[in-house]
Amino acid sequence: MSARPRILLTRRWTAEVEKHLAQHFDVTLNEGDVPMGAAQLRAAMSQFDAICPTVTDRIDREVMSAPDRRVRLIGNFGVGFNHIDIEVARELGISVSNTPDVLTDTTADLAILLMLMVTRRAGEGERELRGGKWTGWRPTHMMGQSLAGKTLGLIGFGRIAQSTARKARLALDMRIAYNGRRRASQAVEAEHQATFIDSVDELVATCDVISLHCPGGAATHHLISAERLRRMKPSAVLINTARGPVVDEAALVEALQARRIAGAGLDVYEAEPKVHPGLLSLDNVVLLPHLGSATQETRTDMGMRVAQNLEAFFAGRPLRDPVA
Ligand code: DGY
């Protein structure tokens, strides 16, 4: 009989990571890769030493307070952990880790991709061509907006925001402004030539591209509200690679329908995998299915980062990436 810790991966990971984990732990895979329900997750709390959930799993009090709970570590696959009730985990003495750093550039790349797709009307153009509606080149065909010299306003100024700032400034020649919970150090501001804007209201009113990089959760729920959408310039675009509920999706649909803003690029949604039907019929929005960190390399790095946390925890060493 194996004395190795029992680990549950709630979704399939890359083959490389699954193989690596199997060498160290008694691993159970969710073979069908279908999201587990609350009852299954609650049952798992009593059967495993650690569970490794992702953004599709809601780990709340009901799940964590399973009788005869055995789980001592929740090794989250992902940097965002708003789907885990951290207060309850702390209260119950369950450790929680996440996977920062390894997905920073990949997610920033996707924010840049969305900015370009929206401002250069890439989705719309591809739909026209595939739909057999392209009639040929002409000087006024599907003109978008240039980004050079425009101001990128970042909400949140952590790792992913700073990587996005670097790419936008160096590759696209954009100016950088930001709002965050705290003002960054002078050195960080100088590195990104970034201007701190003290209020979200002012940032949304003055920037050309607003890109969201704040955590999800109660504090940022509908941070981009109908009122803030009204403050944006008619030429401005909104990019969300953070968490869906940061934006009031119904209000965004109204703003896009009324052309009160020029466009939006979304990778995350309020009720994933459901997408507001109003978004689906609009041409001035680019919609991706939560692909922020989705490269082969990054998804393997994320899994290996979870593995490092599991290995540290079960060897009695401090977690590399503790969040509770
Ligand atoms: C992350 O890492 O936060 C991704 O959005 C998946 O959860």
Side-chain angles (χ1 to χ4, degrees):
M1 211 178 89
S2 167
R4 297 185 302 173
R6 293 201 70 208
I7 308 295
L8 170 70
L9 310 191
T10 67
R11 304 302 299 264
R12 297 306 301 267
W13 294 7
T14 67
E16 199 178 332
V17 184
E18 289 184 353
K19 192 168 157 207
H20 173 87
L21 285 172
Q23 288 161 4
H24 294 78
F25 302 104
D26 176 357
V27 180
T28 296
L29 303 176
N30 172 0
E31 296 289 349
D33 203 17
V34 173
M36 295 173 67
Q40 283 174 297
L41 290 167
R42 187 173 151 89
M45 294 300 286
S46 312
Q47 294 160 5
F48 295 91
D49 298 298
I51 65 167
C52 302
T54 73
V55 66
T56 55
D57 304 305
R58 192 171 156 73
I59 313 289
D60 56 12
R61 180 180 292 280
E62 174 66 13
V63 167
M64 282 187 274
S65 52
D68 303 321
R69 178 176 46 77
R70 177 168 166 179
V71 163
R72 290 188 293 131
L73 172 66
I74 297 173
N76 186 53
F77 185 102
V79 66
F81 50 84
N82 57 298
H83 53 286
I84 303 170
D85 192 327
I86 295 298
E87 289 312 313
V88 172
R90 284 201 185 109
E91 184 188 312
L92 299 176
I94 305 172
S95 299
V96 182
S97 62
N98 71 340
T99 63
D101 306 322
V102 289
L103 45 69
T104 299
D105 277 322
T106 313
T107 308
D109 286 348
L110 199 95
I112 298 286
L113 173 72
L114 284 172
M115 277 177 221
L116 284 167
M117 284 186 78
V118 176
T119 54
R120 298 303 302 274
R121 302 172 64 178
E124 200 183 337
E126 217 212 10
R127 282 191 294 280
E128 181 185 85
L129 185 147
R130 284 182 188 270
K133 296 188 182 127
W134 184 36
T135 55
W137 194 92
R138 59 190 186 279
T140 56
H141 180 221
M142 216 172 265
M143 295 178 294
Q145 299 188 48
S146 298
L147 288 174
K150 303 272 172 69
T151 302
L152 169 62
L154 300 153
I155 298 186
F157 203 50
R159 285 170 285 239
I160 297 172
Q162 289 185 35
S163 174
T164 306
R166 187 174 300 111
K167 292 167 197 281
R169 192 171 64 79
L170 298 178
L172 303 175
D173 204 16
M174 295 186 77
R175 298 168 196 275
I176 308 299
Y178 76 97
N179 174 274
R181 270 174 302 179
R182 281 180 299 277
R183 185 165 179 174
S185 68
Q186 278 184 356
V188 168
E189 287 189 355
E191 180 190 341
H192 298 290
Q193 296 177 24
T195 304
F196 179 66
I197 299 188
D198 199 13
S199 96
V200 174
D201 284 348
E202 191 185 334
L203 182 126
V204 297
T206 53
C207 293
D208 301 296
V209 177
I210 316 298
S211 188
L212 305 176
H213 300 280
C214 48
T220 57
H221 186 258
H222 287 189
L223 183 86
I224 299 299
S225 57
E227 167 58 19
R228 289 201 166 121
L229 287 162
R230 265 193 293 277
R231 285 176 186 268
M232 286 171 64
K233 298 181 189 180
S235 57
V237 308
L238 177 71
I239 304 297
N240 191 6
T241 54
R243 284 292 182 260
V246 177
V247 177
D248 180 340
E249 224 165 66
L252 176 63
V253 168
E254 275 181 41
L256 289 166
Q257 278 169 346
R259 307 267 158 183
R260 281 203 305 278
I261 65 170
L266 308 177
D267 188 43
V268 288
Y269 305 88
E270 277 206 74
E272 296 181 15
K274 289 192 194 126
V275 176
H276 192 296
L279 290 171
L280 298 172
S281 56
L282 285 167
D283 253 338
N284 52 350
V285 61
V286 173
L287 305 170
L288 295 181
H290 205 147
L291 295 180
S293 59
T295 68
Q296 181 74 34
E297 295 87 345
T298 297
R299 290 286 163 86
T300 291
D301 289 348
M302 290 166 74
M304 290 300 187
R305 192 74 173 231
V306 180
Q308 287 169 15
N309 280 289
L310 290 168
E311 284 157 28
F313 185 83
F314 288 107
R317 299 192 308 270
L319 287 172
R320 177 164 184 184
D321 306 300
V323 293

